[in-house]
PDB file of all heavy atoms in Angstrom:
ATOM      1  N   VAL A  18      82.044  37.205 -37.290  1.00 91.00           N
ATOM      2  CA  VAL A  18      83.253  36.419 -37.029  1.00 91.00           C
ATOM      3  C   VAL A  18      83.631  36.480 -35.560  1.00 91.00           C
ATOM      4  O   VAL A  18      84.045  35.479 -34.952  1.00 91.00           O
ATOM      5  CB  VAL A  18      84.400  36.925 -37.927  1.00 91.00           C
ATOM      6  CG1 VAL A  18      85.717  36.300 -37.495  1.00 91.00           C
ATOM      7  CG2 VAL A  18      84.124  36.604 -39.386  1.00 91.00           C
ATOM      8  N   ARG A  94      90.746  25.927 -31.832  1.00 87.00           N
ATOM      9  CA  ARG A  94      91.494  26.773 -32.774  1.00 87.00           C
ATOM     10  C   ARG A  94      90.633  27.883 -33.379  1.00 87.00           C
ATOM     11  O   ARG A  94      91.159  28.814 -33.989  1.00 87.00           O
ATOM     12  CB  ARG A  94      92.052  25.899 -33.898  1.00 87.00           C
ATOM     13  CG  ARG A  94      93.146  24.944 -33.448  1.00 87.00           C
ATOM     14  CD  ARG A  94      93.537  24.004 -34.571  1.00 87.00           C
ATOM     15  NE  ARG A  94      93.947  24.737 -35.759  1.00 87.00           N
ATOM     16  CZ  ARG A  94      94.191  24.166 -36.949  1.00 87.00           C
ATOM     17  NH1 ARG A  94      94.070  22.858 -37.077  1.00 87.00           N
ATOM     18  NH2 ARG A  94      94.569  24.895 -37.969  1.00 87.00           N
ATOM     19  N   LEU A  95      89.319  27.776 -33.209  1.00 88.00           N
ATOM     20  CA  LEU A  95      88.414  28.729 -33.859  1.00 88.00           C
ATOM     21  C   LEU A  95      88.619  30.173 -33.393  1.00 88.00           C
ATOM     22  O   LEU A  95      88.609  31.099 -34.230  1.00 88.00           O
ATOM     23  CB  LEU A  95      86.969  28.278 -33.622  1.00 88.00           C
ATOM     24  CG  LEU A  95      85.890  28.973 -34.453  1.00 88.00           C
ATOM     25  CD1 LEU A  95      86.164  28.786 -35.947  1.00 88.00           C
ATOM     26  CD2 LEU A  95      84.517  28.410 -34.097  1.00 88.00           C
ATOM     27  N   PRO A  96      88.817  30.459 -32.102  1.00 88.00           N
ATOM     28  CA  PRO A  96      89.024  31.860 -31.701  1.00 88.00           C
ATOM     29  C   PRO A  96      90.251  32.514 -32.331  1.00 88.00           C
ATOM     30  O   PRO A  96      90.205  33.693 -32.712  1.00 88.00           O
ATOM     31  CB  PRO A  96      89.181  31.756 -30.172  1.00 88.00           C
ATOM     32  CG  PRO A  96      88.475  30.504 -29.795  1.00 88.00           C
ATOM     33  CD  PRO A  96      88.700  29.567 -30.932  1.00 88.00           C
ATOM     34  N   GLY A  97      91.346  31.763 -32.434  1.00 89.00           N
ATOM     35  CA  GLY A  97      92.541  32.326 -33.065  1.00 89.00           C
ATOM     36  C   GLY A  97      92.297  32.687 -34.520  1.00 89.00           C
ATOM     37  O   GLY A  97      92.713  33.774 -34.986  1.00 89.00           O
ATOM     38  N   ASN A  98      91.612  31.813 -35.242  1.00 90.00           N
ATOM     39  CA  ASN A  98      91.282  32.116 -36.645  1.00 90.00           C
ATOM     40  C   ASN A  98      90.325  33.301 -36.741  1.00 90.00           C
ATOM     41  O   ASN A  98      90.421  34.126 -37.674  1.00 90.00           O
ATOM     42  CB  ASN A  98      90.663  30.884 -37.299  1.00 90.00           C
ATOM     43  CG  ASN A  98      91.642  29.729 -37.410  1.00 90.00           C
ATOM     44  OD1 ASN A  98      92.853  29.939 -37.528  1.00 90.00           O
ATOM     45  ND2 ASN A  98      91.151  28.500 -37.373  1.00 90.00           N
ATOM     46  N   ALA A  99      89.391  33.401 -35.786  1.00 91.00           N
ATOM     47  CA  ALA A  99      88.442  34.519 -35.795  1.00 91.00           C
ATOM     48  C   ALA A  99      89.168  35.849 -35.567  1.00 91.00           C
ATOM     49  O   ALA A  99      88.842  36.865 -36.201  1.00 91.00           O
ATOM     50  CB  ALA A  99      87.389  34.296 -34.712  1.00 91.00           C
ATOM     51  N   MET A 100      90.148  35.860 -34.674  1.00 91.00           N
ATOM     52  CA  MET A 100      90.900  37.094 -34.423  1.00 91.00           C
ATOM     53  C   MET A 100      91.672  37.522 -35.671  1.00 91.00           C
ATOM     54  O   MET A 100      91.714  38.722 -35.999  1.00 91.00           O
ATOM     55  CB  MET A 100      91.856  36.869 -33.251  1.00 91.00           C
ATOM     56  CG  MET A 100      91.143  36.681 -31.922  1.00 91.00           C
ATOM     57  SD  MET A 100      92.227  36.121 -30.587  1.00 91.00           S
ATOM     58  CE  MET A 100      93.211  37.594 -30.311  1.00 91.00           C
ATOM     59  N   ARG A 101      92.261  36.558 -36.355  1.00 91.00           N
ATOM     60  CA  ARG A 101      92.982  36.905 -37.599  1.00 91.00           C
ATOM     61  C   ARG A 101      92.024  37.464 -38.653  1.00 91.00           C
ATOM     62  O   ARG A 101      92.345  38.426 -39.374  1.00 91.00           O
ATOM     63  CB  ARG A 101      93.705  35.676 -38.127  1.00 91.00           C
ATOM     64  CG  ARG A 101      94.788  35.143 -37.205  1.00 91.00           C
ATOM     65  CD  ARG A 101      95.518  33.975 -37.840  1.00 91.00           C
ATOM     66  NE  ARG A 101      96.422  33.329 -36.901  1.00 91.00           N
ATOM     67  CZ  ARG A 101      96.107  32.279 -36.151  1.00 91.00           C
ATOM     68  NH1 ARG A 101      94.890  31.737 -36.265  1.00 91.00           N
ATOM     69  NH2 ARG A 101      96.981  31.766 -35.319  1.00 91.00           N
ATOM     70  N   LEU A 102      90.854  36.837 -38.741  1.00 91.00           N
ATOM     71  CA  LEU A 102      89.877  37.280 -39.744  1.00 91.00           C
ATOM     72  C   LEU A 102      89.322  38.664 -39.415  1.00 91.00           C
ATOM     73  O   LEU A 102      89.064  39.482 -40.330  1.00 91.00           O
ATOM     74  CB  LEU A 102      88.740  36.262 -39.826  1.00 91.00           C
ATOM     75  CG  LEU A 102      87.836  36.318 -41.055  1.00 91.00           C
ATOM     76  CD1 LEU A 102      88.669  36.218 -42.337  1.00 91.00           C
ATOM     77  CD2 LEU A 102      86.814  35.194 -41.016  1.00 91.00           C
ATOM     78  N   CYS A 103      89.145  38.966 -38.141  1.00 90.00           N
ATOM     79  CA  CYS A 103      88.699  40.318 -37.748  1.00 90.00           C
ATOM     80  C   CYS A 103      89.733  41.360 -38.158  1.00 90.00           C
ATOM     81  O   CYS A 103      89.382  42.459 -38.648  1.00 90.00           O
ATOM     82  CB  CYS A 103      88.479  40.367 -36.242  1.00 90.00           C
ATOM     83  SG  CYS A 103      86.955  39.595 -35.670  1.00 90.00           S
ATOM     84  N   LEU A 104      91.006  41.031 -37.967  1.00 91.00           N
ATOM     85  CA  LEU A 104      92.061  41.954 -38.373  1.00 91.00           C
ATOM     86  C   LEU A 104      92.049  42.178 -39.878  1.00 91.00           C
ATOM     87  O   LEU A 104      92.151  43.323 -40.358  1.00 91.00           O
ATOM     88  CB  LEU A 104      93.415  41.404 -37.924  1.00 91.00           C
ATOM     89  CG  LEU A 104      94.644  42.221 -38.312  1.00 91.00           C
ATOM     90  CD1 LEU A 104      94.608  43.604 -37.662  1.00 91.00           C
ATOM     91  CD2 LEU A 104      95.921  41.492 -37.925  1.00 91.00           C
ATOM     92  N   ILE A 105      91.887  41.090 -40.638  1.00 91.00           N
ATOM     93  CA  ILE A 105      91.879  41.208 -42.099  1.00 91.00           C
ATOM     94  C   ILE A 105      90.677  42.012 -42.576  1.00 91.00           C
ATOM     95  O   ILE A 105      90.792  42.909 -43.449  1.00 91.00           O
ATOM     96  CB  ILE A 105      91.871  39.800 -42.738  1.00 91.00           C
ATOM     97  CG1 ILE A 105      93.202  39.099 -42.460  1.00 91.00           C
ATOM     98  CG2 ILE A 105      91.618  39.877 -44.231  1.00 91.00           C
ATOM     99  CD1 ILE A 105      93.213  37.625 -42.847  1.00 91.00           C
ATOM    100  N   LEU A 106      89.478  41.748 -42.003  1.00 90.00           N
ATOM    101  CA  LEU A 106      88.263  42.461 -42.421  1.00 90.00           C
ATOM    102  C   LEU A 106      88.346  43.945 -42.057  1.00 90.00           C
ATOM    103  O   LEU A 106      87.935  44.817 -42.841  1.00 90.00           O
ATOM    104  CB  LEU A 106      87.042  41.822 -41.779  1.00 90.00           C
ATOM    105  CG  LEU A 106      86.645  40.446 -42.323  1.00 90.00           C
ATOM    106  CD1 LEU A 106      85.535  39.840 -41.477  1.00 90.00           C
ATOM    107  CD2 LEU A 106      86.217  40.548 -43.783  1.00 90.00           C
ATOM    108  N   GLY A 107      88.866  44.254 -40.852  1.00 89.00           N
ATOM    109  CA  GLY A 107      88.984  45.663 -40.455  1.00 89.00           C
ATOM    110  C   GLY A 107      89.922  46.426 -41.371  1.00 89.00           C
ATOM    111  O   GLY A 107      89.615  47.556 -41.803  1.00 89.00           O
ATOM    112  N   ILE A 135      88.997  41.702 -32.163  1.00 90.00           N
ATOM    113  CA  ILE A 135      90.159  40.954 -31.657  1.00 90.00           C
ATOM    114  C   ILE A 135      90.190  40.988 -30.134  1.00 90.00           C
ATOM    115  O   ILE A 135      90.414  39.961 -29.474  1.00 90.00           O
ATOM    116  CB  ILE A 135      91.451  41.545 -32.244  1.00 90.00           C
ATOM    117  CG1 ILE A 135      91.508  41.306 -33.748  1.00 90.00           C
ATOM    118  CG2 ILE A 135      92.672  40.926 -31.567  1.00 90.00           C
ATOM    119  CD1 ILE A 135      92.633  42.031 -34.443  1.00 90.00           C
ATOM    120  N   VAL A 138      87.313  38.733 -28.542  1.00 89.00           N
ATOM    121  CA  VAL A 138      87.624  37.293 -28.587  1.00 89.00           C
ATOM    122  C   VAL A 138      88.763  36.952 -27.636  1.00 89.00           C
ATOM    123  O   VAL A 138      88.734  35.944 -26.918  1.00 89.00           O
ATOM    124  CB  VAL A 138      87.985  36.864 -30.029  1.00 89.00           C
ATOM    125  CG1 VAL A 138      88.392  35.402 -30.063  1.00 89.00           C
ATOM    126  CG2 VAL A 138      86.794  37.095 -30.954  1.00 89.00           C
TER     127      VAL A 138
END
Side-chain angles (χ1 to χ4, degrees):
V18 170
R94 292 173 56 188
L95 192 58
N98 294 330
M100 292 170 71
R101 296 184 188 94
L102 197 55
C103 283
L104 178 63
I105 292 170
L106 289 172
I135 293 171
V138 176

